[in-house]
Amino acid sequence: MPDISLTMIALLCLAALAAGWIDAVVGGGGLLLLPVLLLGLPSHTPAAHALGTNKAVAIVGTTGAAVTYARKAPVDVRTAVRIGLAALAGSSAGAFFAAGMSTDVLKPVIMVVLLGVAAFVILRPAFGTAPATGPATRRQILAAIGLAGLGIGFYDGLVGPGTGTFLVLALTAVLHLDLVTASATAKIVNCCTNAGALATFAWQGAVLWQLAALMAVFNLAGGTLGAHTALKQGSGFVRAVLLTVVFALVGNLAYEQWLA
C-alpha cells in the first residue's frame, strides 16, 4: 500500500464506486477513476502505476457488471467474446503504434467526432430505444468485429479515454441493439481488453495490488449497482447518461489538449 492518508484512501474508494456505476451504465468510468488516482497517489509514483492500478480495479467492476447483464439481458455472449478477442488484438496493435505517434494530433479529431455523436443522439431520440429486431446477421457481426473490435480496440491502445462509450455507440448502430443490450455487450468486450492491458502492466510490475484490491471491492459494488440500474430504468435512462458522459469526455479531452 502506498504511503497515503486514510482520507485519500476513502476518496479513492468512493471514486471507484462511482466509476463502477458509470462504467456499467454506459462506459467511461475511467474518466473519473484515472484522474483521481493520478492526483491521489504520491507525486513520486510513476504514471504507469496509476494506469496499471486503474486496470486492476476496473476489470473487477466490469466483470461484475458483465455477469449481472448476462443473467438478465438478452446478450449474445458468443458474439461479444468474438468482438472482445478482436478488440484485444486491436488494443495490442494500438499500444505498439502509440510509442511513435503524438496523440495530441488525434484529440481534436476525437472531440469533433464526439460532438457529432452527441448531435446525432440528440436529433435522433429513438436511437437505441427500440428493441433489437432479431439475431444479428453474419455481415453485421463481421462489421462489429471490424469496427467495435479491431477499430475501437486500436483506439483503446492508442489513446484510451471513452472506449466503453464508443463501444456502446458502435454496437447500437452496427448490431441494431437497444442501449441496455449494447451496454451489456460492451462490458464483455471490455473484460477482454482490460485483461490484456492488466497482464501487460502486471508483467511490468506496475500494479499497486493492495490498493487495487481495496478499491476493486467498491468498483465491483458500483458496477453491479449500475447494471441493475440500467436494466431497471431502461434505454431512455442510459441515453441520458450517455450524453452526459460524451460531453464530459469532450471537456476532459479539451482540458488535456489546451489547458493542462
Side-chain angles (χ1 to χ4, degrees):
M1 182 74 74
D3 185 20
I4 55 180
S5 68
L6 289 176
T7 301
M8 182 54 66
I9 291 174
L11 290 174
L12 288 171
C13 289
L14 288 175
L17 178 71
W21 188 91
I22 295 170
D23 207 47
V25 174
V26 77
L31 293 173
L32 171 62
L33 188 56
L34 184 56
V36 172
L37 272 169
L38 289 170
L39 290 172
L41 292 174
S43 58
H44 58 78
T45 305
H49 284 66
L51 293 168
T53 304
N54 174 59
K55 286 298 182 185
V57 173
I59 194 172
V60 176
T62 300
T63 302
V67 171
T68 302
Y69 274 125
R71 288 176 176 172
K72 298 186 178 182
V75 183
D76 186 340
V77 176
R78 182 182 177 188
T79 297
V81 170
R82 289 162 71 182
I83 297 170
L85 293 175
L88 180 59
S91 179
S92 300
F96 176 79
F97 282 100
M101 183 178 294
S102 173
T103 58
D104 289 338
V105 177
L106 296 176
K107 287 178 181 177
V109 176
I110 296 167
M111 283 185 274
V112 172
V113 171
L114 281 169
L115 289 173
V117 165
F120 175 81
V121 173
I122 291 171
L123 295 173
R124 295 283 298 274
F127 177 73
T129 60
T133 55
T137 65
R138 176 180 173 83
R139 181 175 295 180
Q140 287 175 325
I141 293 173
L142 289 175
I145 290 173
L147 176 61
L150 294 174
I152 296 177
F154 183 85
Y155 166 80
D156 190 22
L158 188 66
V159 184
T163 296
T165 305
F166 280 126
L167 282 173
V168 172
L169 290 166
L171 292 170
T172 301
V174 175
L175 298 181
H176 298 167
L177 303 175
D178 62 85
L179 285 170
V180 173
T181 306
S183 292
T185 306
K187 293 291 91 53
I188 297 175
V189 176
N190 263 350
C191 285
C192 296
T193 56
N194 283 343
L198 178 58
T200 301
F201 284 120
W203 178 71
Q204 295 173 342
V207 180
L208 302 171
W209 290 109
Q210 289 180 306
L211 179 62
L214 180 60
M215 293 175 64
V217 174
F218 289 84
N219 193 251
L220 175 60
T224 304
L225 178 61
H228 280 296
T229 303
L231 289 165
K232 181 178 180 180
Q233 299 296 330
S235 294
F237 173 78
V238 175
R239 181 175 179 273
V241 177
L242 172 65
L243 287 172
T244 301
V245 171
V246 165
F247 285 119
L249 179 56
V250 171
N252 180 69
L253 289 172
Y255 175 82
E256 290 182 353
Q257 179 73 12
W258 292 299
L259 300 176

